[in-house]
Amino acid sequence: MRIDIITILPELLKSPFEASILKRAIDADLVEVCLHNLRDYTSNNYKQVDDYQFGGGAGMVMMIEPIDKCISQLRTERSYDEVIYMTPDGQTLDQSMANELSLKGNIIILCGHYKGVDQRVRDHFVTKEVSIGDFVLSGGELAAAVLCDAIIRLIPGVLGNETSALTDSFQDDLLAPPIYTRPSEYKGWKVPEILLSGNTPKIEAWREEQAYKRTKAIRPDLLDE
Ligand code: ADE
């Protein structure tokens, strides 16, 4: 898989790919992530990427030309399955969207800024608009990092124990059950006896019941779907 990220703040997006699981995935050639500075595709001396809104109104708009130039340049080298625009008014990211996107070959992620991009970018280049939640960030970069993390950890071979992604919260529309490690008793606080019993079927039944109870208490909406 290859992910090309178009941004006016590439430095903001470097570190998530330089540590831990994402770095290991890149080092193992399971995914390639390339950052592209939108200002490198401007044709004016000031490397300007935004301009005033037609019709008036507060806030600047990202111009179509540098975005077109950048995407067109990338498309001369490979074809893309999706051009994703990170925006608070997009479709909300969830686990099923992450599962779907982890199966793609090449994707472009465009990070929005200011009031957003010229509508013609959305009409003619963007194939998917993604929000990471109903709140507004200063730009799409941190949202893009969240999306990349959610996708990359699902690529086969990225997680050491492949079953561990399958037991994540949300993979079966349930939150994950409580987990414990040593010591079995700390300051008088005990690990549930069942987990120490060695009885695998009973442990599995307990985990399912706990996952259900937790989901019902915290995210009952997941059970309605
Ligand atoms: N850009 C600003 N806020 C965002 C959000 N919530 N999701 C995706 N991109 C964004």
Coordinates of all heavy atoms in Angstrom, one line a residue, residues 67 71 81-94 97-98 100-101 104 107-112 115-134 140 143-144 147 151:
I67 N -3.4 22.4 -5.7 CA -3.9 21.0 -5.4 C -4.0 20.2 -6.7 O -3.6 19.0 -6.8 CB -5.3 21.1 -4.7 CG1 -5.1 21.8 -3.3 CG2 -5.9 19.7 -4.5 CD1 -6.4 22.1 -2.6
I71 N -1.8 16.8 -7.4 CA -2.5 15.5 -7.7 C -2.2 15.0 -9.1 O -1.9 13.8 -9.3 CB -4.0 15.6 -7.5 CG1 -4.4 15.8 -6.0 CG2 -4.8 14.4 -8.0 CD1 -5.9 16.1 -5.7
D81 N -6.6 4.6 -5.9 CA -8.0 4.0 -5.6 C -8.9 5.1 -4.9 O -10.1 5.0 -5.1 CB -7.8 2.8 -4.6 CG -6.9 1.8 -5.3 OD1 -7.2 1.4 -6.4 OD2 -6.0 1.4 -4.6
E82 N -8.3 6.0 -4.2 CA -9.1 7.0 -3.5 C -8.3 8.3 -3.4 O -7.1 8.2 -3.1 CB -9.5 6.6 -2.0 CG -10.4 5.4 -1.9 CD -11.8 5.6 -2.2 OE1 -12.2 6.7 -2.6 OE2 -12.6 4.7 -1.9
V83 N -9.0 9.4 -3.5 CA -8.4 10.7 -3.1 C -9.3 11.2 -1.9 O -10.5 11.5 -2.1 CB -8.5 11.7 -4.3 CG1 -8.0 13.1 -3.8 CG2 -7.7 11.2 -5.4
I84 N -8.7 11.1 -0.7 CA -9.5 11.4 0.5 C -9.2 12.8 1.0 O -8.1 13.2 1.1 CB -9.1 10.4 1.6 CG1 -9.4 8.9 1.1 CG2 -9.7 10.7 2.9 CD1 -8.8 7.9 2.0
Y85 N -10.3 13.5 1.3 CA -10.1 14.9 1.8 C -10.5 14.9 3.3 O -11.6 14.4 3.6 CB -11.1 15.8 1.0 CG -11.2 17.2 1.5 CD1 -10.1 18.0 1.9 CD2 -12.4 17.8 1.7 CE1 -10.2 19.2 2.4 CE2 -12.6 19.1 2.1 CZ -11.5 19.8 2.5 OH -11.6 21.1 3.0
M86 N -9.6 15.3 4.2 CA -9.9 15.3 5.6 C -10.7 16.6 5.9 O -10.1 17.7 5.7 CB -8.6 15.3 6.4 CG -7.7 14.1 6.2 SD -8.5 12.5 6.3 CE -9.1 12.5 7.9
T87 N -11.9 16.5 6.4 CA -12.7 17.6 6.7 C -13.7 17.3 7.8 O -14.3 16.2 7.8 CB -13.4 18.1 5.4 OG1 -14.3 19.2 5.7 CG2 -14.2 17.0 4.7
P88 N -14.1 18.3 8.7 CA -15.0 18.0 9.7 C -16.4 17.7 9.2 O -17.2 17.0 9.9 CB -15.0 19.2 10.6 CG -14.3 20.3 9.8 CD -13.4 19.6 8.8
D89 N -16.7 18.1 7.9 CA -18.0 17.8 7.4 C -18.0 16.5 6.5 O -18.9 16.3 5.6 CB -18.7 19.0 6.7 CG -17.8 19.6 5.6 OD1 -16.7 19.0 5.3 OD2 -18.2 20.6 5.0
G90 N -17.0 15.6 6.6 CA -17.0 14.4 5.9 C -17.7 13.3 6.6 O -18.3 13.5 7.7
Q91 N -17.6 12.1 6.1 CA -18.2 10.9 6.7 C -17.3 10.5 7.9 O -16.1 10.5 7.8 CB -18.2 9.7 5.6 CG -18.9 8.5 6.0 CD -18.6 7.4 4.9 OE1 -18.1 7.6 3.8 NE2 -18.8 6.2 5.3
T92 N -18.0 10.2 9.0 CA -17.2 9.9 10.2 C -16.5 8.6 10.1 O -17.0 7.6 9.8 CB -18.1 9.9 11.5 OG1 -18.9 11.1 11.4 CG2 -17.3 9.9 12.7
L93 N -15.2 8.6 10.4 CA -14.3 7.5 10.4 C -14.8 6.5 11.5 O -15.1 6.8 12.6 CB -12.9 7.9 10.8 CG -11.8 6.7 11.0 CD1 -11.6 6.0 9.7 CD2 -10.5 7.3 11.4
D94 N -14.9 5.2 11.1 CA -15.2 4.1 12.0 C -14.4 2.9 11.6 O -13.7 2.9 10.6 CB -16.7 3.8 12.2 CG -17.3 3.4 10.9 OD1 -16.6 3.0 9.9 OD2 -18.6 3.3 10.8
M97 N -14.9 1.5 8.1 CA -14.2 2.3 7.0 C -12.7 2.1 7.0 O -12.1 1.9 6.0 CB -14.4 3.8 7.3 CG -14.0 4.7 6.1 SD -13.8 6.4 6.4 CE -15.5 6.9 6.8
A98 N -12.1 1.9 8.2 CA -10.7 1.6 8.3 C -10.4 0.3 7.7 O -9.4 0.1 6.9 CB -10.2 1.7 9.8
E100 N -12.0 -1.2 5.3 CA -12.2 -1.1 3.9 C -10.9 -0.4 3.3 O -10.4 -0.9 2.3 CB -13.4 -0.2 3.6 CG -14.4 -0.8 2.7 CD -15.6 0.2 2.7 OE1 -15.6 1.2 2.2 OE2 -16.6 -0.2 3.4
L101 N -10.5 0.7 3.9 CA -9.4 1.4 3.3 C -8.1 0.7 3.4 O -7.2 0.9 2.6 CB -9.3 2.8 4.0 CG -10.4 3.8 3.7 CD1 -10.3 5.1 4.5 CD2 -10.4 4.1 2.2
K104 N -7.0 -1.1 0.2 CA -6.7 -0.3 -1.0 C -5.2 -0.4 -1.4 O -4.4 -0.7 -0.5 CB -7.1 1.1 -0.8 CG -8.5 1.4 -0.4 CD -9.4 1.3 -1.6 CE -10.9 1.6 -1.1 NZ -11.8 1.3 -2.2
I107 N -3.5 5.4 -2.1 CA -4.4 6.5 -1.8 C -3.7 7.8 -1.6 O -2.5 7.9 -1.2 CB -5.3 6.1 -0.5 CG1 -4.4 6.0 0.7 CG2 -6.1 4.9 -0.7 CD1 -5.3 5.8 2.0
I108 N -4.5 8.9 -1.9 CA -4.0 10.2 -1.6 C -4.8 10.8 -0.5 O -6.1 10.5 -0.4 CB -4.2 11.1 -2.9 CG1 -3.2 10.8 -4.0 CG2 -4.1 12.6 -2.5 CD1 -3.4 11.5 -5.3
I109 N -4.2 11.4 0.5 CA -4.9 12.1 1.5 C -4.6 13.6 1.5 O -3.4 14.0 1.5 CB -4.6 11.6 2.9 CG1 -4.9 10.1 3.0 CG2 -5.4 12.3 4.0 CD1 -4.5 9.4 4.4
L110 N -5.6 14.4 1.3 CA -5.5 15.9 1.2 C -5.9 16.5 2.6 O -7.0 16.2 3.0 CB -6.4 16.4 0.1 CG -6.5 17.9 -0.1 CD1 -5.2 18.6 -0.4 CD2 -7.6 18.2 -1.2
C111 N -5.0 17.2 3.2 CA -5.3 17.9 4.5 C -5.9 19.3 4.3 O -5.2 20.1 3.6 CB -4.1 17.9 5.3 SG -3.3 16.3 5.6
G112 N -7.0 19.5 4.8 CA -7.7 20.8 4.6 C -7.1 21.8 5.7 O -6.6 21.4 6.7
K115 N -10.8 27.8 5.9 CA -12.2 27.4 5.8 C -12.4 26.1 5.0 O -13.5 25.5 5.0 CB -13.0 28.5 5.1 CG -13.4 29.7 6.0 CD -14.6 29.3 6.9 CE -14.6 30.3 8.1 NZ -15.5 29.7 9.1
G116 N -11.4 25.6 4.4 CA -11.5 24.4 3.6 C -11.0 24.7 2.1 O -10.4 25.7 1.9
V117 N -11.3 23.7 1.2 CA -10.8 23.9 -0.1 C -11.9 24.4 -1.0 O -13.1 24.3 -0.7 CB -10.4 22.5 -0.7 CG1 -9.1 22.0 0.0 CG2 -11.5 21.5 -0.7
D118 N -11.6 25.0 -2.1 CA -12.5 25.4 -3.2 C -13.4 24.2 -3.5 O -12.9 23.1 -3.7 CB -11.6 25.8 -4.4 CG -12.5 26.4 -5.5 OD1 -13.4 25.8 -6.0 OD2 -12.1 27.5 -6.0
Q119 N -14.7 24.4 -3.6 CA -15.6 23.3 -3.8 C -15.3 22.5 -5.1 O -15.5 21.3 -5.1 CB -17.0 23.8 -4.0 CG -18.1 22.8 -4.2 CD -18.2 21.8 -3.1 OE1 -18.1 22.1 -1.9 NE2 -18.5 20.5 -3.4
R120 N -14.6 23.1 -6.1 CA -14.3 22.4 -7.3 C -13.3 21.3 -7.1 O -13.2 20.3 -7.8 CB -13.8 23.4 -8.4 CG -15.0 24.2 -8.9 CD -14.5 25.4 -9.7 NE -13.7 26.4 -8.9 CZ -13.3 27.5 -9.3 NH1 -13.4 27.9 -10.6 NH2 -12.6 28.4 -8.5
V121 N -12.4 21.4 -6.0 CA -11.5 20.3 -5.7 C -12.3 19.1 -5.2 O -12.1 18.0 -5.6 CB -10.6 20.8 -4.5 CG1 -9.8 19.6 -4.0 CG2 -9.7 21.9 -5.0
R122 N -13.4 19.4 -4.4 CA -14.2 18.3 -3.9 C -15.0 17.7 -5.1 O -15.2 16.4 -5.1 CB -15.1 18.8 -2.8 CG -14.4 19.4 -1.6 CD -15.2 20.1 -0.6 NE -15.9 19.3 0.3 CZ -16.2 19.6 1.5 NH1 -16.0 20.9 2.0 NH2 -16.8 18.8 2.3
D123 N -15.5 18.5 -6.0 CA -16.3 18.0 -7.1 C -15.5 17.2 -8.1 O -16.0 16.2 -8.7 CB -16.9 19.2 -7.8 CG -18.0 19.9 -7.0 OD1 -18.4 19.3 -5.9 OD2 -18.3 21.1 -7.3
H124 N -14.2 17.6 -8.4 CA -13.5 17.0 -9.5 C -12.3 16.1 -9.1 O -11.9 15.3 -10.0 CB -13.0 18.1 -10.4 CG -14.2 18.9 -11.0 ND1 -15.0 18.4 -11.9 CD2 -14.6 20.1 -10.7 CE1 -15.9 19.3 -12.2 NE2 -15.7 20.4 -11.4
F125 N -11.8 16.2 -7.9 CA -10.7 15.3 -7.5 C -11.0 14.4 -6.4 O -10.5 13.2 -6.4 CB -9.5 16.2 -7.1 CG -9.0 17.0 -8.2 CD1 -9.1 18.4 -8.2 CD2 -8.3 16.5 -9.3 CE1 -8.6 19.2 -9.3 CE2 -7.8 17.2 -10.3 CZ -8.0 18.6 -10.3
V126 N -11.7 14.8 -5.4 CA -11.9 14.0 -4.2 C -12.9 12.9 -4.4 O -14.0 13.1 -5.0 CB -12.4 15.0 -3.0 CG1 -12.8 14.2 -1.8 CG2 -11.3 15.9 -2.7
T127 N -12.6 11.7 -3.9 CA -13.5 10.6 -4.1 C -14.1 10.2 -2.7 O -15.1 9.4 -2.6 CB -12.8 9.3 -4.6 OG1 -11.7 9.0 -3.7 CG2 -12.2 9.6 -6.0
K128 N -13.6 10.7 -1.6 CA -14.1 10.3 -0.3 C -13.7 11.5 0.7 O -12.6 11.9 0.7 CB -13.4 9.0 0.2 CG -14.1 8.3 1.3 CD -13.5 7.0 1.6 CE -14.2 6.2 2.6 NZ -15.5 5.7 2.2
E129 N -14.7 11.9 1.5 CA -14.5 12.9 2.5 C -14.6 12.3 3.9 O -15.6 11.7 4.2 CB -15.5 14.1 2.3 CG -15.4 14.6 0.9 CD -16.2 15.9 0.6 OE1 -17.2 16.1 1.4 OE2 -15.9 16.6 -0.3
V130 N -13.6 12.5 4.7 CA -13.5 11.8 6.0 C -13.3 12.8 7.1 O -12.4 13.6 7.1 CB -12.4 10.8 6.0 CG1 -12.3 10.1 7.3 CG2 -12.6 9.7 4.9
S131 N -14.1 12.6 8.2 CA -14.0 13.3 9.4 C -13.6 12.4 10.5 O -14.0 11.2 10.4 CB -15.4 14.0 9.8 OG -15.4 14.4 11.2
I132 N -12.8 12.8 11.5 CA -12.5 11.9 12.6 C -13.4 12.1 13.8 O -13.3 11.5 14.8 CB -11.0 11.9 13.0 CG1 -10.6 13.3 13.5 CG2 -10.1 11.5 11.9 CD1 -9.3 13.2 14.4
G133 N -14.4 13.0 13.6 CA -15.3 13.2 14.7 C -16.0 14.6 14.7 O -15.5 15.4 13.9
D134 N -17.0 14.8 15.4 CA -17.8 16.0 15.4 C -17.1 17.1 16.2 O -17.6 17.5 17.3 CB -19.2 15.8 15.9 CG -20.0 15.0 14.8 OD1 -19.5 14.9 13.7 OD2 -21.1 14.5 15.2
G140 N -6.2 19.5 8.8 CA -6.5 18.1 8.6 C -5.3 17.1 8.9 O -5.5 15.9 8.9
A143 N -5.8 14.7 11.9 CA -6.9 13.8 11.5 C -6.3 12.8 10.5 O -6.6 11.6 10.5 CB -8.0 14.6 10.8
A144 N -5.4 13.2 9.5 CA -4.8 12.3 8.6 C -3.9 11.3 9.3 O -3.9 10.1 8.9 CB -4.0 13.1 7.6
L147 N -6.2 8.7 10.8 CA -6.7 7.8 9.7 C -5.6 6.8 9.3 O -5.8 5.6 9.2 CB -7.2 8.6 8.5 CG -7.6 7.8 7.3 CD1 -8.9 7.0 7.6 CD2 -8.0 8.8 6.1
I151 N -5.6 2.7 9.6 CA -5.5 1.8 8.4 C -4.3 0.9 8.4 O -4.4 -0.3 8.2 CB -5.4 2.7 7.1 CG1 -6.7 3.6 6.9 CG2 -5.1 1.9 5.9 CD1 -6.5 4.6 5.7

